Amino acid sequence: MTQGFILLVVIALIIAYVVMRTRRRMGLLVTGKTWLTVMLGVVIVALALWASQTH
């Protein structure tokens, strides 16, 4: 179970990194709040997909 949470956080970090690099290239502001927002969004979407698959 713990390995699943660690994997989820790693996936969220990788996706957030790609999004932040893209935002920087477009000239948009990148802060800690945007990192957190993107990571939470990825985690929520991944958990929603997992929940829909288990029912």
Side-chain angles (χ1 to χ4, degrees):
M1 180 97 163
T2 305
Q3 292 174 346
F5 288 127
I6 293 171
L7 179 62
L8 185 59
V9 170
V10 169
I11 290 170
L13 277 171
I14 291 169
I15 292 173
Y17 178 75
V18 170
V19 170
M20 293 307 122
R21 282 192 54 127
T22 305
R23 286 180 59 95
R24 270 193 215 118
R25 285 182 181 238
M26 292 180 3
L28 299 172
L29 183 64
V30 175
T31 63
K33 188 176 179 180
T34 54
W35 275 91
L36 184 63
T37 303
V38 171
M39 287 181 60
L40 281 174
V42 169
V43 168
I44 289 171
V45 168
L47 288 174
L49 289 171
W50 172 76
S52 70
Q53 291 293 326
T54 58
H55 284 92

